[in-house]
Coordinates of all heavy atoms in Angstrom, one line a residue:
W96 N -4.5 -32.4 12.0 CA -5.6 -32.4 13.0 C -6.8 -33.2 12.4 O -7.8 -33.4 13.1 CB -6.0 -31.0 13.4 CG -5.0 -30.3 14.3 CD1 -4.2 -30.8 15.2 CD2 -4.8 -28.9 14.3 NE1 -3.4 -29.8 15.7 CE2 -3.8 -28.6 15.2 CE3 -5.4 -27.8 13.6 CZ2 -3.3 -27.4 15.4 CZ3 -4.9 -26.6 13.8 CH2 -3.9 -26.3 14.7
A106 N -12.0 -23.0 10.3 CA -10.7 -22.7 10.8 C -10.0 -21.6 10.1 O -9.4 -20.7 10.8 CB -9.8 -24.0 10.8
L108 N -11.5 -19.1 8.5 CA -12.1 -17.9 8.9 C -11.8 -17.4 10.3 O -11.7 -16.2 10.6 CB -13.7 -18.1 8.7 CG -14.1 -18.3 7.3 CD1 -15.6 -18.7 7.2 CD2 -13.8 -17.1 6.4
V109 N -11.6 -18.4 11.2 CA -11.2 -18.1 12.6 C -9.8 -17.5 12.6 O -9.5 -16.4 13.2 CB -11.2 -19.3 13.5 CG1 -10.5 -19.1 14.8 CG2 -12.7 -19.7 13.8
V110 N -8.9 -18.1 11.8 CA -7.5 -17.6 11.7 C -7.5 -16.2 11.1 O -6.7 -15.3 11.5 CB -6.6 -18.5 10.8 CG1 -5.3 -17.9 10.5 CG2 -6.4 -19.9 11.6
K111 N -8.4 -15.9 10.2 CA -8.5 -14.6 9.6 C -9.1 -13.5 10.5 O -9.1 -12.4 10.2 CB -9.2 -14.7 8.2 CG -8.5 -15.4 7.2 CD -9.3 -15.5 5.9 CE -8.5 -16.2 4.8 NZ -9.3 -16.3 3.6
G112 N -9.7 -14.0 11.6 CA -10.2 -13.1 12.6 C -11.7 -12.8 12.5 O -12.2 -11.9 13.1
Y113 N -12.4 -13.6 11.7 CA -13.9 -13.4 11.6 C -14.6 -13.8 12.9 O -14.2 -14.7 13.6 CB -14.4 -14.2 10.5 CG -14.1 -13.7 9.1 CD1 -12.9 -13.9 8.5 CD2 -15.1 -13.1 8.4 CE1 -12.6 -13.5 7.3 CE2 -14.9 -12.6 7.1 CZ -13.6 -12.8 6.6 OH -13.3 -12.4 5.3
F115 N -18.0 -15.2 14.9 CA -18.9 -16.3 14.6 C -20.1 -15.9 13.7 O -20.5 -16.6 12.8 CB -19.4 -17.0 15.9 CG -18.3 -17.9 16.5 CD1 -17.9 -17.6 17.8 CD2 -17.7 -18.9 15.8 CE1 -16.9 -18.4 18.4 CE2 -16.7 -19.6 16.4 CZ -16.3 -19.4 17.7
I118 N -18.8 -15.6 10.3 CA -18.5 -17.0 9.8 C -19.8 -17.6 9.3 O -19.9 -18.2 8.2 CB -17.8 -17.8 10.8 CG1 -16.4 -17.3 11.1 CG2 -17.7 -19.3 10.4 CD1 -15.6 -17.9 12.3
A133 N -16.6 -24.9 15.2 CA -15.4 -24.3 15.8 C -15.0 -25.1 17.0 O -13.8 -25.4 17.2 CB -15.6 -22.8 16.2
S134 N -16.0 -25.5 17.9 CA -15.7 -26.3 19.1 C -15.1 -27.6 18.7 O -14.2 -28.1 19.3 CB -17.0 -26.5 19.9 OG -17.5 -25.3 20.4
L136 N -13.4 -28.3 15.9 CA -12.0 -28.1 15.4 C -11.1 -27.8 16.6 O -9.9 -28.2 16.6 CB -11.9 -27.1 14.3 CG -12.1 -25.7 14.5 CD1 -10.7 -25.0 14.8 CD2 -12.7 -25.0 13.3
Y137 N -11.5 -27.0 17.6 CA -10.7 -26.8 18.8 C -10.4 -28.1 19.5 O -9.2 -28.3 19.9 CB -11.4 -25.8 19.8 CG -11.8 -24.5 19.2 CD1 -12.8 -23.7 19.8 CD2 -11.1 -23.9 18.2 CE1 -13.2 -22.5 19.4 CE2 -11.4 -22.6 17.7 CZ -12.5 -21.9 18.3 OH -12.8 -20.7 17.9
A140 N -7.7 -29.9 17.6 CA -6.4 -29.3 17.8 C -5.9 -29.3 19.2 O -4.7 -29.0 19.4 CB -6.6 -27.8 17.3
G141 N -6.7 -29.8 20.1 CA -6.3 -29.9 21.5 C -6.2 -28.6 22.2 O -5.4 -28.4 23.1
V142 N -7.1 -27.7 21.9 CA -7.1 -26.4 22.5 C -8.5 -26.1 23.0 O -9.5 -26.8 22.7 CB -6.7 -25.2 21.5 CG1 -5.2 -25.4 21.1 CG2 -7.6 -25.1 20.3
S143 N -8.6 -25.0 23.8 CA -10.0 -24.8 24.5 C -10.7 -23.6 23.8 O -11.9 -23.4 24.2 CB -9.8 -24.5 26.0 OG -9.0 -23.3 26.2
G144 N -10.1 -22.9 22.9 CA -10.9 -21.8 22.3 C -10.1 -21.1 21.2 O -9.0 -21.6 20.8
R145 N -10.7 -20.1 20.7 CA -10.2 -19.3 19.5 C -8.8 -18.9 19.7 O -7.9 -19.1 18.8 CB -11.1 -18.2 19.2 CG -10.7 -17.2 18.1 CD -11.5 -16.0 18.0 NE -12.9 -16.2 17.8 CZ -13.5 -16.1 16.6 NH1 -12.8 -15.7 15.6 NH2 -14.7 -16.3 16.4
S146 N -8.5 -18.2 20.8 CA -7.2 -17.6 20.9 C -6.1 -18.7 21.0 O -5.0 -18.6 20.4 CB -7.1 -16.7 22.1 OG -7.5 -17.4 23.3
E147 N -6.4 -19.8 21.7 CA -5.4 -20.9 21.8 C -5.3 -21.6 20.4 O -4.2 -22.0 20.1 CB -5.9 -22.0 22.8 CG -5.7 -21.6 24.2 CD -6.0 -22.7 25.2 OE1 -5.9 -23.9 24.8 OE2 -6.4 -22.3 26.3
F148 N -6.4 -21.6 19.7 CA -6.3 -22.2 18.3 C -5.3 -21.4 17.4 O -4.4 -22.0 16.8 CB -7.7 -22.3 17.7 CG -7.7 -22.8 16.3 CD1 -7.4 -24.2 16.1 CD2 -7.9 -22.0 15.2 CE1 -7.4 -24.7 14.8 CE2 -7.9 -22.5 13.9 CZ -7.7 -23.9 13.7
V149 N -5.5 -20.1 17.4 CA -4.7 -19.2 16.6 C -3.2 -19.3 17.1 O -2.3 -19.4 16.3 CB -5.2 -17.8 16.5 CG1 -4.3 -16.9 15.8 CG2 -6.6 -17.8 15.9
A150 N -3.1 -19.3 18.4 CA -1.7 -19.4 19.0 C -1.1 -20.7 18.6 O 0.1 -20.7 18.3 CB -1.8 -19.3 20.5
E151 N -1.8 -21.8 18.6 CA -1.3 -23.1 18.2 C -0.8 -23.0 16.7 O 0.3 -23.5 16.4 CB -2.3 -24.2 18.4 CG -1.8 -25.6 18.1 CD -0.8 -26.0 19.2 OE1 -0.9 -25.6 20.3 OE2 0.0 -26.9 18.8
I152 N -1.5 -22.4 15.9 CA -1.1 -22.3 14.5 C 0.1 -21.4 14.4 O 1.1 -21.8 13.7 CB -2.3 -21.6 13.6 CG1 -3.4 -22.6 13.6 CG2 -1.8 -21.2 12.3 CD1 -4.1 -22.9 12.4
I153 N 0.2 -20.3 15.1 CA 1.3 -19.4 15.0 C 2.5 -20.1 15.6 O 3.6 -20.0 15.1 CB 1.0 -18.1 15.7 CG1 0.0 -17.3 14.9 CG2 2.3 -17.3 15.9 CD1 -0.5 -16.1 15.6
Q154 N 2.3 -20.8 16.7 CA 3.5 -21.5 17.4 C 4.1 -22.5 16.4 O 5.3 -22.6 16.3 CB 3.0 -22.2 18.6 CG 4.1 -22.9 19.4 CD 3.6 -23.5 20.7 OE1 2.4 -23.6 21.0 NE2 4.6 -23.9 21.5
S155 N 3.3 -23.3 15.7 CA 3.8 -24.3 14.8 C 4.6 -23.6 13.7 O 5.6 -24.1 13.2 CB 2.7 -25.2 14.2 OG 1.9 -24.4 13.4

Side-chain angles (χ1 to χ4, degrees):
W96 292 326
L108 294 171
V109 166
V110 168
K111 291 178 180 181
Y113 286 77
F115 287 121
I118 293 171
S134 294
L136 72 93
Y137 298 156
V142 297
S143 64
R145 175 190 298 261
S146 58
E147 283 185 30
F148 178 72
V149 173
E151 186 67 28
I152 295 227
I153 291 172
Q154 183 178 8
S155 68

